[in-house]
Amino acid sequence: MKKLVLAIAFIGMGSFAMAQQTTTPQDRQARAVEMKQKMEQKQQERLAEMKKGLNLNESQVAQIKDLQDKRNAERKAEFEKNKGDRQVKMQEMMAKKAQMDADMKKILNPEQYDKWQADRKAKAEKVKMAMKERRMMKKPMNTGAADVK
């Protein structure tokens, strides 16, 4: 019975490992460019909706666009300012995870340790899939501009 459960676990782990995709730096760059274009397009669409819904003139649209660009620049600067802190926290978290792993390896026998690792990977994959599903089900934000008359 134990062998059957172990065999099923290894088959399941193998299928999870094969399902993972690896991305290259070129893929990431292409996706970043694509995302930037989509963001700019959405901004234009929102501005057009505001112009129509609020009956704005070109001067007002230009001022709103400048305000949005300014806020985006401030957000980006804040993100870059805190980037070092995030990297330090990530390194600390990874070190704690490695220490936990080493401690568990001392406590558990090899079979228990392998099962524990498999359970952790399965739970991580489950969380990853749930997050992906949540992103896919997320509805577009409503600016409320269409509701204004």
Side-chain angles (χ1 to χ4, degrees):
M1 184 69 182
K2 286 183 182 179
K3 290 181 182 181
L4 179 63
V5 171
L6 236 112
I8 292 172
F10 283 124
I11 291 171
M13 284 178 32
S15 64
F16 279 104
M18 291 172 65
Q20 293 179 355
Q21 297 178 352
T22 56
T23 57
T24 62
Q26 292 83 10
D27 292 340
R28 288 188 197 129
Q29 281 181 333
R31 185 153 188 230
V33 169
E34 182 182 328
M35 291 297 289
K36 186 175 181 180
Q37 289 173 347
K38 283 182 181 180
M39 296 280 282
E40 289 172 359
Q41 182 181 2
K42 283 186 179 193
Q43 181 186 20
Q44 292 297 326
E45 290 171 2
R46 283 192 295 269
L47 280 172
E49 284 179 23
M50 287 178 71
K51 181 179 180 181
K52 182 180 176 185
L54 298 174
N55 198 22
L56 302 175
N57 62 36
E58 292 300 322
S59 173
Q60 290 172 314
V61 171
Q63 289 174 345
I64 292 171
K65 184 172 180 359
D66 289 342
L67 179 63
Q68 288 175 341
D69 290 342
K70 180 182 173 187
R71 289 198 62 218
N72 287 339
E74 289 171 355
R75 270 195 295 254
K76 188 172 184 175
E78 187 70 24
F79 180 83
E80 291 299 323
K81 183 176 112 180
N82 294 328
K83 192 174 187 177
D85 293 340
R86 284 192 312 275
Q87 289 175 340
V88 168
K89 287 179 184 179
M90 182 64 97
Q91 289 173 347
E92 289 173 359
M93 190 174 75
M94 295 300 284
K96 287 179 182 179
K97 183 180 176 191
Q99 182 61 47
M100 170 74 170
D101 197 50
D103 292 342
M104 289 297 284
K105 198 169 193 173
K106 290 177 187 175
I107 296 169
L108 302 174
N109 68 37
E111 184 179 316
Q112 292 169 327
Y113 179 77
D114 290 342
K115 185 176 180 186
W116 179 71
Q117 287 283 63
D119 288 345
R120 278 180 51 190
K121 287 180 183 177
K123 286 177 185 175
E125 186 66 29
K126 186 177 179 181
V127 168
K128 184 178 177 182
M129 294 301 285
M131 289 176 69
K132 191 174 190 179
E133 185 177 314
R134 242 184 286 151
R135 265 186 273 146
M136 291 179 75
M137 303 216 26
K138 193 176 191 182
K139 294 181 180 178
M141 290 178 47
N142 184 4
T143 60
D147 298 335
V148 178
K149 292 185 180 185

